[in-house]
């Protein structure tokens, strides 16, 4: 637990980011609700609700890469994998909580795009889970921030423009890719346990 | 000659970043799928289709490049590489342009590959002109958009904390490329100052633009204006990023 505290202290600014985004989007929704018609707010909200997903992927790519002391972590009983997974869980937890709050707020204001009742919460929560799991895998594979950032946007692009418009049932839309993402994260978890590989990889950069 | 060898070395440096190449392949594939599935799509079978595909690639792939190049000008700071570089007889601006050129080659190569494949397919089916159109589209429509996205990323990355810069750069590109007329925001789309190649596509290749031009169809002249304007923006963005990154204090 103390270990989580240390990582939290290191990342607290990034943990605040999703909540600031949520507050900002809710504020925009609250202000616009009085001024604009519903048909005009909808597209704005469709764009704004994608911002936390982009931010989640990029933040995960940011926290999982660029740490120069992999060897040091591997030489302690803690190990590099524990460091990485703790960071991943902190960021993912923060973004999931903020996305949940965002959905509840917008659902109450009836501003959530394509709202099908409470089951729609799976849309933002699922996309953040998927993006973060896959970015974790790519960060383990490449250990490079530009590549992970690029991949996070590519994954989001796939979800937002290719997957979502064609598979509209909210449960099927999220469960299948979540299954793949979890499999990818487990694969990454296994690979990240290889101390030799981690050290060689960071030395090669 | 020195510049050429520098470009060669930078290309080699970026050639080694295989992960970035591999990641940009699916990115270009997704954009290709979007070009194919779009209701506006003229299909892949003629010159119009080639230009349209180039434009879709120019709208979507820079989203990812805007996210990933925020340390283009500042990466050297972290390792002290820039101190080594500044002792070389070449001016820093030349070295940095070589870095930008190398990154640009990575960005464009996957898209160019797919455009050329489509062109070859068209050439086999009797449209020989396509072989020339594909590199032309890559040069005048795709590369300005990519360089602008990379420039936004590099400039913001030199001015702001990394994560803020990355998110803002993506949003900035999203605004430049996907403005919907439903929002009362100012926009560049629909005029000759658009950065996604509409004026060039309609003015030079006679295709339908993505966004309806506000003052009648684009002509050959608006294409020229658009290209010059984009070159100006690219120049300003990278100059700004270069100046801003020189001012960053090295973290010791």
């Amino acid at each position: 637990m103390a270990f989580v505290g240390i990582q939290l202290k290191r990342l607290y600014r990034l943990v605040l980011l999703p909540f600031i985004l949520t507050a900002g989007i809710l504020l925009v929704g609250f202000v616009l609700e009085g001024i604009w018609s519903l048909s005009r707010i909808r597209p704005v909200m469709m764009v704004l609700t994608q911002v936390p997903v982009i931010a989640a992927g990029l933040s995960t790519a940011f926290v999982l890469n660029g740490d120069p002391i992999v060897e040091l972590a591997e030489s302690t009983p803690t190990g590099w994998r524990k460091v990485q997974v703790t960071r991943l869980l902190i960021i993912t937890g923060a973004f999931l909580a903020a996305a949940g709050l965002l959905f509840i707020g917008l659902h109450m204001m009836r501003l959530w795009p394509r709202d099908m009742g409470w089951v729609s919460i799976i849309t933002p929560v699922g996309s953040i889970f998927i993006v973060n799991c896959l970015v974790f895998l790519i960060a383990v594979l490449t250990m490079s921030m530009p590549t992970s950032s690029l991949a996070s946007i590519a994954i989001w692009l796939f979800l937002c423009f290719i997957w979502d418009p064609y598979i509209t049932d909210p449960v099927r839309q999220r469960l299948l890719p979540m299954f793949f993402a979890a499999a990818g994260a487990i694969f990454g978890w296994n690979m990240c346990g290889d101390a030799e590989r981690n050290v060689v990889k960071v030395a090669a950069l | 000659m020195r510049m050429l060898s520098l470009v060669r070395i930078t290309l080699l440096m970026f050639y080694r970043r295989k992960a970035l190449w591999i990641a940009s392949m699916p990115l270009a594939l997704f954009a290709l799928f979007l070009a194919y599935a779009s209701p506006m799509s003229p299909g892949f079978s003629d010159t119009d289709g080639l230009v349209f595909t180039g434009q879709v690639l120019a709208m979507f792939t820079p989203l990812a490049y805007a996210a990933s190049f925020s340390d283009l000008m500042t990466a050297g700071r972290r390792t002290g590489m820039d101190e080594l570089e500044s002792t070389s007889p070449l001016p820093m601006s030349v070295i940095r342009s070589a870095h930008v050129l190398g990154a640009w080659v990575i960005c464009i190569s996957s898209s160019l590959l797919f455009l050329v494949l489509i062109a070859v397919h068209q050439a086999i089916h009797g449209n020989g002109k396509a072989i020339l159109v594909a590199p032309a589209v890559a040069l005048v429509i795709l590369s300005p958009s990519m360089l602008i996205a990379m420039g936004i990323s590099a400039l913001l990355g030199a001015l702001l904390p990394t994560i803020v810069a990355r998110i803002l750069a993506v949003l900035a590109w999203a605004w430049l490329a996907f403005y919907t007329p439903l929002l009362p925001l100012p926009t560049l789309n629909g005029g000759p100052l658009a950065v996604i190649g509409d004026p060039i596509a309609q003015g030079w290749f006679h295709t339908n633009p993505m966004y309806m031009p506000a003052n009648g169809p684009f002509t050959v002249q608006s294409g020229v204006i658009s290209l010059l304007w984009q070159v100006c923006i690219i120049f300003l963005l990278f100059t700004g990023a270069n100046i801003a990154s020189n001012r960053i204090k090295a973290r010791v």
Side-chain angles (χ1 to χ4, degrees), chain B residues 28-223:
Chain B
L29 263 181
F30 292 161
L32 214 61
F33 175 82
L34 288 170
Y36 175 73
S38 157
M40 285 164 74
S41 172
F44 287 153
S45 57
D46 52 1
T47 311
D48 275 16
L50 208 55
V51 177
F52 181 83
T53 312
Q55 273 200 284
V56 173
L57 283 166
M59 284 166 82
F60 284 91
T61 55
L63 275 175
Y65 298 133
S68 61
F69 285 107
S70 73
D71 59 354
L72 191 58
M73 294 288 184
T74 53
R77 289 269 151 189
R78 216 156 37 97
T79 52
M81 191 64 188
D82 61 329
E83 283 160 18
L84 202 63
E85 284 175 339
S86 63
T87 61
S88 80
L90 279 172
M92 263 324 252
S93 51
V94 175
I95 295 177
R96 292 231 166 94
S97 348
H99 286 320
V100 173
L101 265 179
W104 170 74
V105 170
I106 289 195
C107 291
I108 198 127
S109 52
S110 54
S111 304
L112 181 64
L113 172 73
F114 291 125
L115 280 178
V116 167
L117 284 181
I118 296 173
V120 167
H121 168 79
Q122 289 186 14
I124 291 169
H125 289 83
N127 183 13
K129 218 173 52 179
I131 292 290
L132 292 176
V133 173
V137 166
L139 198 66
V140 296
I141 293 180
L142 211 50
S143 28
S145 304
M146 281 178 179
L147 283 169
I148 288 171
M150 283 160 62
I152 294 171
S153 188
L155 177 64
L156 291 177
L159 292 173
L160 300 167
T162 317
I163 187 68
V164 181
R166 282 172 197 269
I167 296 171
L168 277 184
V170 174
L171 295 183
W173 182 261
W175 169 72
L176 283 174
F178 306 107
Y179 163 81
T180 54
L182 289 163
L183 315 183
L185 270 174
T187 177
L188 299 179
N189 289 329
L193 303 185
V195 293
I196 53 163
D198 266 350
I200 298 170
Q202 192 173 24
W204 296 1
F205 300 101
H206 311 293
T207 58
N208 291 324
M210 297 276 174
Y211 298 97
M212 264 301 133
N215 309 313
F218 294 118
T219 56
V220 177
Q221 285 91 337
S222 33

Side-chain angles (χ1 to χ4, degrees), chain A residues 14 17 36 40 43-44 51 54-55 58-59 62 66 142 145-147 149-150 153-158 161-162 166, chain B residues 17 19-20 23-24 27 30 33-34 37 60 63-65 67-68 71 78 162-163 166-167 170-171 178 180 182-184:
Chain A
L14 262 182
L17 178 73
W36 287 4
R40 216 172 174 193
V44 182
V51 175
I54 298 173
L58 291 175
S59 303
F62 178 68
T142 66
M145 207 191 300
T147 309
S149 308
L150 193 143
I153 297 291
I155 297 158
W156 168 77
L157 207 72
F158 173 79
F161 290 99
I162 300 180
Y166 294 99
Chain B
R17 295 169 72 173
L20 205 57
S24 67
L27 180 72
F30 292 161
F33 175 82
L34 288 170
F60 284 91
L63 275 175
Y65 298 133
S68 61
D71 59 354
R78 216 156 37 97
T162 317
I163 187 68
R166 282 172 197 269
I167 296 171
V170 174
L171 295 183
F178 306 107
T180 54
L182 289 163
L183 315 183

